[in-house]
Amino acid sequence: MTMSNDEHLRVSKIKDGTVIDHIRAGQALKVLGILGIDGANDEQITVGMNVSSDRHSRKDIVKIEGRELSQEEVDVLSLIAPNATINIVRNYEVAEKRRVDRPDVVEGVLSCPNPNCITANNEPVTSKFDVLEDGTRCRYCEQIISDDIPSLIDPE
């Protein structure tokens, strides 16, 4: 029995925007959180969770209509989805395809959870975090954060 394309296509293509593919299964909602997407804006978002994958047994996928991710957003995204692939779609075609690369430093995006850190005390200092194998470390107070990165996104 052969399957038609319709049986494989679970979600329609987007005209313009970003597709984040190969997210570790169960992490799509964290990806949305890290990108500040909560459904309150007019952005059309499609989320697939625990879908079959040839590369991994299961994966998540996020499609964002009308928005191309900035390099800063991709850098932060890499902290929770290091194996993700970013596809920039223009006029229904993939215009760019790239893998996420973990940066050595993330600057001005995360806020340090340490209340004694200089960045938490309204000082005119931009936050800087060194990216480690299993988390991040504040460049100023050396606080190590190994989980819950989305809650540390600086809203400014």
Side-chain angles (χ1 to χ4, degrees):
M1 179 175 154
T2 59
M3 289 190 192
S4 69
N5 286 339
D6 291 340
E7 291 174 351
H8 285 294
L9 186 63
R10 292 179 181 233
V11 178
S12 62
K13 291 183 175 184
I14 61 174
K15 181 178 180 190
D16 297 296
T18 303
V19 177
I20 307 165
D21 199 359
H22 303 292
I23 302 166
R24 191 172 67 234
Q27 298 296 305
L29 297 179
K30 287 186 179 184
V31 166
L32 293 175
I34 215 165
L35 296 174
I37 297 171
D38 60 5
N41 296 334
D42 288 338
E43 292 173 311
Q44 275 190 321
I45 309 300
T46 303
V47 178
M49 297 182 74
N50 290 311
V51 297
S52 296
S53 170
D54 292 336
R55 190 183 306 174
H56 309 288
S57 62
R58 296 283 178 194
K59 69 177 181 179
D60 289 357
I61 185 169
V62 174
K63 295 184 178 190
I64 309 165
E65 180 79 37
R67 178 173 167 188
E68 293 185 15
L69 298 184
S70 69
Q71 188 59 50
E72 291 80 17
E73 290 173 312
V74 172
D75 287 349
V76 174
L77 177 66
S78 74
L79 299 177
I80 62 166
N83 298 316
T85 303
I86 306 296
N87 298 307
I88 303 299
V89 178
R90 296 185 188 120
N91 201 28
Y92 297 104
E93 299 292 329
V94 175
E96 293 177 42
K97 184 172 188 165
R98 61 183 189 258
R99 291 192 150 283
V100 170
D101 290 321
R102 288 178 70 121
D104 294 329
V105 176
V106 176
E107 188 172 340
V109 180
L110 301 175
S111 58
C112 185
N114 179 357
N116 295 321
C117 182
I118 191 170
T119 63
N121 290 305
N122 296 323
E123 297 292 331
V125 176
T126 302
S127 67
K128 289 184 186 176
F129 286 82
D130 294 311
V131 178
L132 310 172
E133 195 65 31
D134 59 347
T136 59
R137 178 180 53 233
C138 178
R139 180 78 59 91
Y140 299 103
C141 72
E142 299 189 359
Q143 171 91 28
I144 294 178
I145 298 103
S146 59
D147 57 358
D148 205 20
I149 296 290
S151 70
L152 303 175
I153 301 296
D154 193 347
E156 294 175 16

